[in-house]
Amino acid sequence: MPPLPKPKFNYDYDVAAQIDALRHYRDTEPGRAIPPKATDRILLATWNVANLGVQERTDKDYQLLGEIMSWFDIIAVEEVNDNLIGLRSICSHMPATYRVLVSDASGNNERLAFLYDTTKATLLEKVGEIAYSPTGARNVKLPGITQQFNGFDRNPYFAAFEAGTFKFLLAAVHLFYGSESSIDKNRRSLETYAVARWADLRRKSQYAYTRNIVPLGDFNLPKTQPGDQIFDALTKRGLMLPGHTSQIGSSIASDNHYDQIAFFPGDTEDHFTGNTGVFDYDGIIFHTLYQANQKDFLIYCRYHISDHRPMWIEFKTGP
Protein backbone atom coordinates (compact mmCIF):
# COMPACT_ATOMS: atom_id res chain seq x y z
CA MET A 1 0.00 0.00 0.00
CA PRO A 2 1.15 3.61 -0.43
CA PRO A 3 2.88 5.12 2.61
CA LEU A 4 0.47 6.48 5.19
CA PRO A 5 0.48 10.27 5.69
CA LYS A 6 3.53 11.44 7.60
CA PRO A 7 2.66 13.57 10.66
CA LYS A 8 3.21 17.27 10.07
CA PHE A 9 4.18 17.78 13.69
CA ASN A 10 6.97 16.63 16.00
CA TYR A 11 6.32 14.44 19.02
CA ASP A 12 9.07 13.22 21.29
CA TYR A 13 8.66 10.52 23.91
CA ASP A 14 10.57 8.65 26.58
CA VAL A 15 10.95 5.17 25.10
CA ALA A 16 11.64 3.51 28.48
CA ALA A 17 8.44 5.00 29.91
CA GLN A 18 6.46 3.80 26.88
CA ILE A 19 7.84 0.27 27.26
CA ASP A 20 6.91 0.27 30.96
CA ALA A 21 3.40 1.43 30.07
CA LEU A 22 3.01 -1.27 27.40
CA ARG A 23 4.11 -4.00 29.81
CA HIS A 24 1.81 -2.76 32.57
CA TYR A 25 -1.14 -2.60 30.15
CA ARG A 26 -0.36 -6.12 28.89
CA ASP A 27 -0.22 -7.50 32.43
CA THR A 28 -3.17 -5.70 34.02
CA GLU A 29 -5.75 -4.58 31.44
CA PRO A 30 -8.73 -6.99 31.33
CA GLY A 31 -8.72 -9.12 28.19
CA ARG A 32 -5.23 -8.01 27.13
CA ALA A 33 -3.12 -10.50 29.08
CA ILE A 34 -0.46 -12.28 27.04
CA PRO A 35 0.88 -15.37 28.83
CA PRO A 36 4.53 -15.34 29.84
CA LYS A 37 6.78 -17.55 27.75
CA ALA A 38 6.96 -21.15 28.99
CA THR A 39 8.98 -24.22 28.04
CA ASP A 40 5.84 -26.23 27.29
CA ARG A 41 4.08 -23.50 25.27
CA ILE A 42 4.74 -21.66 22.01
CA LEU A 43 3.44 -18.12 21.46
CA LEU A 44 2.76 -17.23 17.83
CA ALA A 45 1.83 -13.79 16.54
CA THR A 46 1.09 -11.98 13.31
CA TRP A 47 1.53 -8.25 12.74
CA ASN A 48 1.09 -6.12 9.66
CA VAL A 49 3.60 -3.31 10.30
CA ALA A 50 2.55 -0.61 7.86
CA ASN A 51 5.05 -0.11 5.02
CA LEU A 52 7.98 -1.41 7.03
CA GLY A 53 11.10 -0.05 5.36
CA VAL A 54 9.27 2.82 3.62
CA GLN A 55 7.82 4.99 6.38
CA GLU A 56 10.46 7.03 8.20
CA ARG A 57 10.39 5.55 11.67
CA THR A 58 12.81 6.59 14.40
CA ASP A 59 15.11 4.31 16.39
CA LYS A 60 12.74 4.74 19.34
CA ASP A 61 9.90 3.46 17.17
CA TYR A 62 11.91 0.38 16.26
CA GLN A 63 12.62 -0.18 19.96
CA LEU A 64 8.89 -0.22 20.68
CA LEU A 65 8.19 -2.57 17.77
CA GLY A 66 11.01 -4.86 18.90
CA GLU A 67 9.75 -4.81 22.49
CA ILE A 68 6.27 -6.01 21.52
CA MET A 69 7.57 -8.62 19.08
CA SER A 70 9.95 -10.02 21.71
CA TRP A 71 6.92 -11.10 23.77
CA PHE A 72 6.30 -13.85 21.21
CA ASP A 73 8.30 -16.90 20.12
CA ILE A 74 7.48 -16.62 16.40
CA ILE A 75 6.08 -13.57 14.62
CA ALA A 76 4.79 -13.43 11.05
CA VAL A 77 5.35 -9.89 9.76
CA GLU A 78 3.46 -8.45 6.80
CA GLU A 79 4.09 -5.35 4.65
CA VAL A 80 7.86 -5.74 4.80
CA ASN A 81 9.28 -3.67 1.95
CA ASP A 82 11.89 -4.98 -0.47
CA ASN A 83 14.22 -2.59 1.40
CA LEU A 84 14.87 -4.56 4.61
CA ILE A 85 16.13 -1.60 6.64
CA GLY A 86 12.97 -1.50 8.75
CA LEU A 87 12.97 -5.22 9.54
CA ARG A 88 16.68 -5.17 10.36
CA SER A 89 16.17 -2.16 12.62
CA ILE A 90 13.52 -4.07 14.59
CA CYS A 91 15.81 -7.10 14.84
CA SER A 92 18.58 -4.90 16.27
CA HIS A 93 16.33 -4.27 19.29
CA MET A 94 15.39 -7.91 19.89
CA PRO A 95 17.27 -10.63 21.76
CA ALA A 96 20.20 -12.12 19.86
CA THR A 97 18.49 -15.52 19.85
CA TYR A 98 15.99 -14.38 17.21
CA ARG A 99 16.50 -15.20 13.54
CA VAL A 100 14.68 -13.92 10.46
CA LEU A 101 13.28 -15.48 7.28
CA VAL A 102 12.06 -13.35 4.37
CA SER A 103 10.31 -14.02 1.10
CA ASP A 104 11.14 -12.30 -2.15
CA ALA A 105 9.27 -9.10 -3.01
CA SER A 106 6.06 -9.34 -5.04
CA GLY A 107 2.89 -7.24 -5.19
CA ASN A 108 3.35 -3.67 -3.94
CA ASN A 109 7.07 -4.46 -3.59
CA GLU A 110 6.29 -6.33 -0.36
CA ARG A 111 7.94 -9.26 1.34
CA LEU A 112 6.60 -11.50 4.10
CA ALA A 113 8.81 -12.43 7.05
CA PHE A 114 9.09 -14.67 10.09
CA LEU A 115 11.03 -13.73 13.21
CA TYR A 116 11.61 -16.70 15.51
CA ASP A 117 13.37 -17.39 18.79
CA THR A 118 15.85 -20.22 18.25
CA THR A 119 15.68 -21.17 21.92
CA LYS A 120 11.97 -21.97 21.56
CA ALA A 121 11.49 -23.14 17.97
CA THR A 122 13.57 -25.09 15.48
CA LEU A 123 13.27 -24.18 11.82
CA LEU A 124 12.67 -27.30 9.73
CA GLU A 125 13.55 -27.88 6.09
CA LYS A 126 10.21 -26.98 4.49
CA VAL A 127 10.18 -23.28 3.51
CA GLY A 128 8.48 -21.88 0.42
CA GLU A 129 5.54 -20.06 -1.13
CA ILE A 130 1.99 -21.14 -1.96
CA ALA A 131 1.62 -21.11 -5.72
CA TYR A 132 -0.88 -22.69 -8.09
CA SER A 133 -0.22 -24.14 -11.51
CA PRO A 134 -2.53 -22.92 -14.31
CA THR A 135 -4.46 -26.20 -14.04
CA GLY A 136 -4.72 -25.94 -10.27
CA ALA A 137 -5.84 -22.31 -10.44
CA ARG A 138 -8.84 -23.32 -12.55
CA ASN A 139 -10.05 -25.40 -9.59
CA VAL A 140 -10.20 -22.39 -7.25
CA LYS A 141 -13.90 -21.63 -7.58
CA LEU A 142 -16.60 -20.21 -5.34
CA PRO A 143 -20.37 -20.22 -5.81
CA GLY A 144 -21.66 -17.02 -7.37
CA ILE A 145 -18.23 -15.88 -8.59
CA THR A 146 -17.51 -16.23 -12.30
CA GLN A 147 -14.11 -14.49 -12.16
CA GLN A 148 -11.07 -16.69 -12.67
CA PHE A 149 -8.42 -17.07 -10.00
CA ASN A 150 -5.14 -16.00 -11.64
CA GLY A 151 -2.82 -16.48 -8.70
CA PHE A 152 -1.89 -14.32 -5.72
CA ASP A 153 -0.87 -10.68 -5.77
CA ARG A 154 1.62 -11.67 -3.03
CA ASN A 155 2.30 -15.40 -2.74
CA PRO A 156 1.75 -16.58 0.85
CA TYR A 157 5.02 -17.57 2.52
CA PHE A 158 5.30 -20.70 4.65
CA ALA A 159 7.84 -22.25 6.97
CA ALA A 160 7.76 -25.38 9.11
CA PHE A 161 8.89 -25.31 12.74
CA GLU A 162 9.13 -27.69 15.66
CA ALA A 163 8.71 -26.87 19.33
CA GLY A 164 8.87 -29.83 21.68
CA THR A 165 6.84 -32.55 19.97
CA PHE A 166 4.63 -30.03 18.16
CA LYS A 167 5.56 -29.89 14.47
CA PHE A 168 3.67 -27.23 12.54
CA LEU A 169 3.69 -25.18 9.37
CA LEU A 170 2.88 -21.46 9.38
CA ALA A 171 1.60 -19.87 6.18
CA ALA A 172 1.80 -16.07 6.34
CA VAL A 173 -0.47 -14.06 4.05
CA HIS A 174 -1.17 -10.52 2.99
CA LEU A 175 -4.07 -10.97 0.62
CA PHE A 176 -5.28 -8.60 -2.06
CA TYR A 177 -7.56 -5.78 -0.95
CA GLY A 178 -8.08 -3.38 -3.85
CA SER A 179 -11.40 -1.68 -3.20
CA GLU A 180 -14.94 -2.47 -2.13
CA SER A 181 -15.99 -3.09 -5.73
CA SER A 182 -17.50 -6.52 -6.41
CA ILE A 183 -14.63 -7.36 -8.79
CA ASP A 184 -12.01 -6.67 -6.13
CA LYS A 185 -13.94 -8.40 -3.35
CA ASN A 186 -14.40 -11.45 -5.54
CA ARG A 187 -10.67 -11.47 -6.28
CA ARG A 188 -9.95 -11.26 -2.55
CA SER A 189 -12.42 -14.08 -1.87
CA LEU A 190 -10.75 -16.31 -4.44
CA GLU A 191 -7.30 -15.62 -2.94
CA THR A 192 -8.70 -16.45 0.49
CA TYR A 193 -10.26 -19.68 -0.69
CA ALA A 194 -7.05 -20.60 -2.51
CA VAL A 195 -5.18 -20.46 0.82
CA ALA A 196 -7.84 -22.55 2.58
CA ARG A 197 -7.96 -25.08 -0.25
CA TRP A 198 -4.18 -25.44 -0.35
CA ALA A 199 -3.99 -25.94 3.43
CA ASP A 200 -6.77 -28.53 3.36
CA LEU A 201 -5.25 -30.49 0.47
CA ARG A 202 -1.77 -30.48 2.01
CA ARG A 203 -2.94 -31.69 5.43
CA LYS A 204 -4.89 -34.53 3.81
CA SER A 205 -2.06 -35.60 1.50
CA GLN A 206 -0.34 -38.91 2.20
CA TYR A 207 2.90 -36.94 1.77
CA ALA A 208 1.96 -34.18 4.20
CA TYR A 209 5.05 -32.75 5.89
CA THR A 210 2.83 -31.99 8.87
CA ARG A 211 -0.94 -31.89 9.26
CA ASN A 212 -0.68 -28.95 11.65
CA ILE A 213 -1.07 -26.10 9.16
CA VAL A 214 -1.74 -22.61 10.51
CA PRO A 215 -2.55 -19.85 7.98
CA LEU A 216 -2.10 -16.43 9.59
CA GLY A 217 -1.72 -12.81 8.65
CA ASP A 218 -3.63 -10.04 6.95
CA PHE A 219 -6.59 -11.60 5.17
CA ASN A 220 -8.32 -8.21 4.78
CA LEU A 221 -11.31 -9.89 6.40
CA PRO A 222 -13.81 -7.30 7.68
CA LYS A 223 -15.88 -9.39 10.10
CA THR A 224 -15.44 -12.84 11.62
CA GLN A 225 -19.00 -13.95 11.14
CA PRO A 226 -20.89 -16.22 8.73
CA GLY A 227 -22.23 -14.26 5.81
CA ASP A 228 -19.11 -12.17 5.41
CA GLN A 229 -17.80 -13.06 1.96
CA ILE A 230 -14.16 -13.36 3.00
CA PHE A 231 -14.94 -15.22 6.24
CA ASP A 232 -17.03 -17.77 4.34
CA ALA A 233 -14.23 -18.33 1.83
CA LEU A 234 -11.64 -18.82 4.59
CA THR A 235 -13.74 -21.30 6.59
CA LYS A 236 -15.23 -23.20 3.63
CA ARG A 237 -12.69 -26.05 3.91
CA GLY A 238 -12.93 -26.38 7.69
CA LEU A 239 -10.48 -23.80 9.04
CA MET A 240 -11.43 -22.45 12.47
CA LEU A 241 -11.03 -18.88 13.75
CA PRO A 242 -11.16 -19.06 17.56
CA GLY A 243 -12.69 -16.16 19.44
CA HIS A 244 -10.45 -14.14 21.73
CA THR A 245 -10.98 -12.44 25.05
CA SER A 246 -10.04 -8.95 23.87
CA GLN A 247 -12.89 -8.99 21.32
CA ILE A 248 -11.45 -6.10 19.36
CA GLY A 249 -10.44 -5.81 15.73
CA SER A 250 -6.88 -5.67 14.50
CA SER A 251 -7.23 -2.36 12.65
CA ILE A 252 -6.78 0.74 14.80
CA ALA A 253 -8.57 2.97 12.29
CA SER A 254 -11.69 0.92 11.56
CA ASP A 255 -11.69 -1.85 14.19
CA ASN A 256 -12.12 -4.41 11.39
CA HIS A 257 -10.89 -7.96 11.92
CA TYR A 258 -8.49 -7.96 8.98
CA ASP A 259 -5.84 -10.14 10.65
CA GLN A 260 -6.54 -13.72 11.59
CA ILE A 261 -4.91 -16.94 12.82
CA ALA A 262 -6.66 -20.08 11.59
CA PHE A 263 -6.25 -23.82 12.12
CA PHE A 264 -8.12 -27.07 11.53
CA PRO A 265 -9.97 -29.23 14.07
CA GLY A 266 -8.12 -32.30 15.27
CA ASP A 267 -4.50 -32.46 16.35
CA THR A 268 -3.82 -28.74 15.96
CA GLU A 269 -6.92 -27.88 17.95
CA ASP A 270 -5.79 -30.32 20.66
CA HIS A 271 -2.58 -28.29 21.04
CA PHE A 272 -4.47 -24.99 21.32
CA THR A 273 -4.46 -23.75 24.92
CA GLY A 274 -7.49 -21.50 24.44
CA ASN A 275 -5.35 -18.38 24.80
CA THR A 276 -5.50 -15.97 21.88
CA GLY A 277 -6.07 -12.26 21.44
CA VAL A 278 -5.36 -8.92 19.83
CA PHE A 279 -3.06 -6.51 21.63
CA ASP A 280 -4.28 -2.92 21.24
CA TYR A 281 -0.99 -1.13 21.83
CA ASP A 282 -2.85 2.09 20.94
CA GLY A 283 -4.86 1.73 24.16
CA ILE A 284 -1.91 2.94 26.25
CA ILE A 285 0.92 4.25 24.09
CA PHE A 286 1.66 7.99 23.51
CA HIS A 287 -0.91 8.93 26.15
CA THR A 288 0.00 12.63 26.33
CA LEU A 289 -0.49 12.96 22.57
CA TYR A 290 -3.85 11.18 22.82
CA GLN A 291 -4.98 13.59 25.53
CA ALA A 292 -3.88 16.60 23.50
CA ASN A 293 -5.34 15.64 20.11
CA GLN A 294 -6.89 12.28 19.26
CA LYS A 295 -6.69 12.88 15.50
CA ASP A 296 -2.97 13.62 15.70
CA PHE A 297 -2.55 10.56 17.93
CA LEU A 298 -4.08 8.28 15.29
CA ILE A 299 -1.96 9.78 12.52
CA TYR A 300 1.20 9.33 14.62
CA CYS A 301 0.40 5.73 15.63
CA ARG A 302 -0.38 4.66 12.07
CA TYR A 303 2.82 6.14 10.68
CA HIS A 304 5.37 5.46 13.42
CA ILE A 305 4.04 2.10 14.69
CA SER A 306 1.28 0.66 12.48
CA ASP A 307 -2.37 0.89 11.49
CA HIS A 308 -2.71 -2.76 12.55
CA ARG A 309 -2.49 -4.38 15.96
CA PRO A 310 -0.66 -7.66 16.58
CA MET A 311 -2.74 -10.82 16.96
CA TRP A 312 -1.41 -13.83 18.89
CA ILE A 313 -2.20 -17.42 19.83
CA GLU A 314 -0.72 -20.01 22.20
CA PHE A 315 -0.18 -23.73 21.57
CA LYS A 316 1.08 -26.55 23.79
CA THR A 317 4.37 -28.06 22.64
CA GLY A 318 3.66 -31.47 24.14
CA PRO A 319 0.81 -33.99 24.09
Side-chain angles (χ1 to χ4, degrees), residues 209-251:
Y209 189 81
T210 173
R211 304 191 193 285
N212 299 312
I213 298 177
V214 181
L216 74 172
D218 185 357
F219 288 89
N220 278 307
L221 188 162
K223 299 297 178 187
T224 51
Q225 58 190 33
D228 178 273
Q229 185 174 337
I230 313 304
F231 175 87
D232 291 345
L234 183 57
T235 57
K236 186 175 178 64
R237 303 288 290 235
L239 282 167
M240 303 166 50
L241 304 178
H244 50 89
T245 53
S246 45
Q247 289 302 304
I248 53 175
S250 61
S251 170

Side-chain angles (χ1 to χ4, degrees), residues 176-217:
F176 177 79
Y177 182 82
S179 70
E180 286 301 305
S181 71
S182 59
I183 291 176
D184 283 353
K185 288 188 73 174
N186 288 344
R187 180 177 171 183
R188 195 188 330 161
S189 297
L190 289 170
E191 283 202 7
T192 304
Y193 179 62
V195 173
R197 180 178 182 272
W198 170 86
D200 187 36
L201 292 175
R202 291 314 304 157
R203 74 177 178 121
K204 290 177 178 175
S205 169
Q206 62 177 316
Y207 306 114
Y209 189 81
T210 173
R211 304 191 193 285
N212 299 312
I213 298 177
V214 181
L216 74 172

Side-chain angles (χ1 to χ4, degrees), residues 9-31:
F9 57 89
N10 294 320
Y11 175 70
D12 194 19
Y13 60 85
D14 182 332
V15 68
Q18 296 298 327
I19 289 174
D20 286 345
L22 285 166
R23 291 174 180 175
H24 182 74
Y25 188 75
R26 173 198 65 189
D27 296 339
T28 63
E29 184 69 13

Side-chain angles (χ1 to χ4, degrees), residues 7 20 41 45 51 78 85 106 109 121 133 137 148 153 155 168 172 198 202 223 277 282 289 318:
D20 286 345
R41 302 285 190 272
N51 299 292
E78 297 83 48
I85 186 172
S106 53
N109 212 28
S133 67
Q148 183 177 339
D153 187 50
N155 280 354
F168 55 97
W198 170 86
R202 291 314 304 157
K223 299 297 178 187
D282 51 302
L289 179 58

Side-chain angles (χ1 to χ4, degrees), residues 64-291:
L64 294 180
L65 288 163
E67 164 66 22
I68 295 173
M69 290 190 188
S70 70
W71 299 346
F72 308 103
D73 300 311
I74 306 178
I75 312 99
V77 187
E78 297 83 48
E79 277 197 29
V80 178
N81 188 258
D82 194 19
N83 181 348
L84 292 174
I85 186 172
L87 186 65
R88 298 202 189 286
S89 296
I90 291 174
C91 291
S92 72
H93 292 293
M94 296 183 70
T97 55
Y98 280 79
R99 297 289 182 271
V100 62
L101 287 176
V102 294
S103 70
D104 198 9
S106 53
N108 196 36
N109 212 28
E110 289 180 31
R111 302 174 187 260
L112 294 158
F114 292 108
L115 301 179
Y116 65 101
D117 186 347
T118 56
T119 67
K120 292 296 299 292
T122 301
L123 175 67
L124 302 178
E125 63 260 88
K126 183 165 182 173
V127 178
E129 297 184 352
I130 300 176
Y132 276 82
S133 67
T135 301
R138 288 195 288 271
N139 292 320
V140 178
K141 300 177 182 179
L142 287 170
I145 296 179
T146 58
Q147 289 173 225
Q148 183 177 339
F149 171 66
N150 294 314
F152 297 98
D153 187 50
R154 293 170 286 266
N155 280 354
Y157 185 49
F158 61 75
F161 296 91
E162 191 168 49
T165 60
F166 184 40
K167 183 178 178 181
F168 55 97
L169 187 146
L170 303 180
V173 310
H174 185 194
L175 299 187
F176 177 79
Y177 182 82
S179 70
E180 286 301 305
S181 71
S182 59
I183 291 176
D184 283 353
K185 288 188 73 174
N186 288 344
R187 180 177 171 183
R188 195 188 330 161
S189 297
L190 289 170
E191 283 202 7
T192 304
Y193 179 62
V195 173
R197 180 178 182 272
W198 170 86
D200 187 36
L201 292 175
R202 291 314 304 157
R203 74 177 178 121
K204 290 177 178 175
S205 169
Q206 62 177 316
Y207 306 114
Y209 189 81
T210 173
R211 304 191 193 285
N212 299 312
I213 298 177
V214 181
L216 74 172
D218 185 357
F219 288 89
N220 278 307
L221 188 162
K223 299 297 178 187
T224 51
Q225 58 190 33
D228 178 273
Q229 185 174 337
I230 313 304
F231 175 87
D232 291 345
L234 183 57
T235 57
K236 186 175 178 64
R237 303 288 290 235
L239 282 167
M240 303 166 50
L241 304 178
H244 50 89
T245 53
S246 45
Q247 289 302 304
I248 53 175
S250 61
S251 170
I252 70 170
S254 63
D255 214 34
N256 283 322
H257 295 248
Y258 289 143
D259 306 273
Q260 292 296 327
I261 302 174
F263 56 86
F264 290 103
D267 184 59
T268 315
E269 183 182 14
D270 291 341
H271 279 85
F272 177 45
T273 67
N275 293 324
T276 183
V278 169
F279 183 73
D280 55 332
Y281 76 88
D282 51 302
I284 190 61
I285 209 167
F286 310 145
H287 191 61
T288 58
L289 179 58
Y290 178 85
Q291 290 179 314

